[in-house]
Amino acid sequence: MALAEEALRKQLGKYKFRDLTIEELKNVNKTYPNFTFSMNTYSNSYNIPIRLWILDSHPFAPPICFLKPTANMGISVGKHVDAHGRIYLPYLQNWSHPKSTVIGLIKEMIAKFEEELPLYSLSSSDAARQSELLSYIAKITEGETGMKSKSKIGRDKNQGCFNKITVVGAGDLGIACVLAIAAKGAADKVVLLDLSEGAAKGGTMDLEIFTLPNVEISKDFSASADSKVVVLTVNSLGNAQTYLDVVQSNVDLFRGVIPAISHYSQNTVLLVASHPVEVMTYVSWKLSAFPKSRVIGVGANLDTERFQFILTNLLKEEVLAKDAWIIGEQGEDKVPSWTSGNSVANQTEAMAACNSRDKVANRAMEVLKGKGQRSWSVGLSVADLTDSILKDKRKVHSVSTLAKGCCNINSEVFLSLPCILGTSGVIEMVKLEEDPLVREKLQSSAGSIHDLQQQLKL
């Protein structure tokens, strides 16, 4: 036994716990003397049948992936596979062209499925039941289906009176938007699309625990199908060093999001709340190829509502407030403007009225500077905008819209301007009062935004 033990010790040379293993095997040999030992290399390979659907928006949208089990295979439902064989992987959730490729996707499938096999062998008695599931999966992947019919019924319903909103991004802003929209009651259904990797955390988990009526949480872009409005709140949390890097990181993120969203909701209105809102609205417009009327940013809607409130309730200038707007770009470069002038008898009176108005506006702007852009505040503003769109209110809002042609702006940039909103997005831009200073500020903002956009890689 000494020689055999020495040989065994050499054979188990790379074992982490060699001595414990040898003791265990010695005990086995004592109890079962006829038990023999030999060394070999264990390896196992599996042929896992899959089907990848490459969408017409590829390579910007990820493939749709299914297992394609044979009649004697069962599906092991787990964190990467559902009961119908649909495959969910971090690589798919974080898909971003050109970084993401089909080859990279297949490599991740191999790695994940080695850790957790998605299929198992069925007994002969289970094989018959499996054929029903295979038939169902075939219908899903071929699109010939009861499921397709249901989808069509759903679309017909949506085209009628069913109001569905999808909020993309499950951060603080995304959750604030969901809560505000749900409280507003304008939508029949609100979908929160969580693009983060891993299990639900923070507010998303809380939404799952304390369920709200008509609110669904999903990690699958297909859950957004046939949305009337899609709200984009997602921002990249990369390790970018410069402002340009930060914006480019967001652009890269949007390159994986916008094509998939526009594929599933081809008639939706895109409402952008991601930062910087003017640039990301432009990026959404370019990547979606939607008409300019159906791509808008939240812009200065919140600041305008606050501005009008301050004028009316704090400064008691209700007449002025009706025509008062905050326009331009978000942040320090925003500017107050007016949609109509005072009708006065002569130029002297007009100048006096204008000076008086400017003084009141300056006081209101000082108060406005102390107000931050908190998530819940922006969420309330987003709910206000979606309410106007879904209910076709034809209400005027200061939102980010394509400003080319306004105030002698010749570049394709988005700035906040007063617009009438309805179910198709921007119906009409409201004419502003002529003001050389306002025009100069808008042109300056347009120039700086355009310069930034020229440095981005779309």
Side-chain angles (χ1 to χ4, degrees):
M1 181 62 193
L3 290 174
E5 183 177 333
E6 186 61 31
L8 192 59
R9 195 175 294 276
K10 289 181 180 179
Q11 289 176 326
L12 300 179
K14 292 184 179 180
Y15 275 51
K16 292 180 181 178
F17 309 106
R18 182 184 62 178
D19 293 340
L20 291 174
T21 305
I22 290 173
E23 286 301 314
E24 181 77 5
L25 295 179
K26 284 168 64 177
N27 290 333
V28 170
N29 186 255
K30 287 179 183 178
T31 307
Y32 304 103
N34 295 327
F35 208 95
T36 58
F37 304 103
S38 64
M39 288 290 292
N40 209 331
T41 301
Y42 174 81
S43 65
N44 217 340
S45 61
Y46 303 92
N47 294 318
I48 300 173
I50 60 169
R51 174 172 286 175
L52 308 183
W53 287 91
I54 307 298
L55 303 178
D56 56 6
S57 49
H58 191 83
F60 296 103
I64 296 174
C65 308
F66 278 90
L67 293 172
K68 199 169 181 291
T70 60
N72 63 344
M73 293 180 178
I75 296 172
S76 295
V77 177
K79 61 183 178 180
H80 300 309
V81 179
D82 68 16
H84 298 143
R86 181 78 180 265
I87 298 170
Y88 302 91
L89 294 170
Y91 199 92
L92 291 169
Q93 294 167 14
N94 301 318
W95 185 275
S96 176
H97 175 77
K99 181 177 64 176
S100 303
T101 63
V102 174
I103 291 175
L105 172 61
I106 293 171
K107 287 180 179 178
E108 174 152 312
M109 279 189 192
I110 291 171
K112 295 298 183 184
F113 291 162
E114 280 180 352
E115 296 172 5
E116 184 178 330
L117 280 176
L119 298 169
Y120 62 91
S121 296
L122 288 172
S123 64
S124 57
S125 60
D126 291 330
R129 289 195 295 271
Q130 175 70 355
S131 63
E132 295 182 12
L133 179 59
L134 292 178
S135 176
Y136 178 74
I137 293 173
K139 287 179 180 178
I140 294 175
T141 56
E142 296 294 345
E144 36 182 61
T145 200
M147 192 169 200
K148 185 176 180 182
S149 301
K150 288 178 184 176
S151 178
K152 185 177 186 303
I153 291 169
R155 282 195 295 271
D156 292 342
K157 186 179 180 184
N158 289 345
Q159 290 165 359
C161 62
F162 191 78
N163 287 326
K164 176 179 175 182
I165 295 176
T166 292
V167 176
V168 182
D172 289 344
L173 178 55
I175 293 171
C177 288
V178 168
L179 295 175
I181 292 167
K184 198 82 171 178
D188 300 307
K189 183 175 184 180
V190 183
V191 175
L192 177 59
L193 197 57
D194 180 7
L195 303 183
S196 61
E197 187 176 340
K201 297 179 180 179
T204 308
M205 183 190 296
D206 294 338
L207 280 179
E208 290 182 346
I209 295 169
F210 304 103
T211 55
L212 294 175
N214 304 324
V215 173
E216 174 189 344
I217 303 170
S218 178
K219 288 181 174 290
D220 188 348
F221 279 108
S222 65
S224 69
D226 302 312
S227 294
K228 293 287 184 67
V229 181
V230 174
V231 182
L232 295 147
T233 71
V234 65
N235 286 293
S236 174
L237 299 175
N239 296 318
Q241 299 298 315
T242 68
Y243 181 65
L244 177 61
D245 292 336
V246 172
V247 178
Q248 183 63 57
S249 183
N250 262 5
V251 171
D252 294 341
L253 181 63
F254 269 49
R255 279 156 62 181
V257 171
I258 299 298
I261 288 294
S262 45
H263 170 79
Y264 286 109
S265 299
Q266 297 177 9
N267 297 310
T268 193
V269 174
L270 296 178
L271 178 56
V272 182
S274 302
H275 293 294
V277 67
E278 295 83 14
V279 175
M280 300 317 298
T281 307
Y282 166 81
V283 170
S284 300
W285 176 54
K286 284 296 185 182
L287 292 177
S288 67
F290 282 1
K292 62 181 182 180
S293 61
R294 290 201 284 117
V295 184
I296 59 180
V298 294
N301 183 62
L302 176 57
D303 282 331
T304 293
E305 294 293 337
R306 288 171 167 176
F307 187 55
Q308 292 176 350
F309 181 88
I310 292 166
L311 288 172
T312 301
N313 296 280
L314 301 184
L315 304 181
K316 307 302 179 184
E317 295 285 354
E318 187 174 355
V319 175
L320 279 181
K322 292 178 181 178
D323 299 318
W325 304 92
I326 300 298
I327 63 172
E329 60 178 312
Q330 277 190 350
E332 295 180 357
D333 293 322
K334 59 179 177 280
V335 57
S337 187
W338 315 88
T339 49
S340 67
N342 295 322
S343 52
V344 291
N346 57 59
Q347 187 174 356
T348 303
E349 288 183 10
M351 188 174 294
C354 185
N355 289 337
S356 175
R357 187 183 66 182
D358 288 346
K359 288 180 181 178
V360 173
N362 288 337
R363 289 169 60 195
M365 289 296 286
E366 284 300 316
V367 178
L368 188 60
K369 283 181 181 178
K371 306 295 180 184
Q373 295 271 334
R374 299 173 182 85
S375 294
W376 61 266
S377 302
V378 179
L380 291 171
S381 176
V382 166
D384 181 46
L385 293 170
T386 57
D387 187 60
S388 289
I389 294 169
L390 292 180
K391 294 181 179 177
D392 200 25
K393 284 187 170 182
R394 309 297 175 105
K395 181 181 173 182
V396 183
H397 295 269
S398 183
V399 292
S400 304
T401 188
L402 187 64
K404 186 176 182 180
C406 174
C407 297
N408 296 324
I409 295 171
N410 297 316
S411 52
E412 291 183 335
V413 295
F414 281 70
L415 291 171
S416 284
L417 295 165
C419 297
I420 300 172
L421 297 187
T423 52
S424 58
V426 173
I427 297 172
E428 182 183 348
M429 192 185 299
V430 177
K431 184 175 175 60
L432 289 166
E433 179 183 304
E434 288 290 335
D435 186 329
L437 291 176
V438 170
R439 182 170 63 248
E440 183 180 335
K441 287 187 177 181
L442 290 182
Q443 289 173 348
S444 175
S445 290
S448 61
I449 292 170
H450 180 67
D451 289 344
L452 176 59
Q453 288 173 179
Q454 292 297 102
Q455 299 177 67
L456 298 172
K457 299 174 183 178
L458 284 178

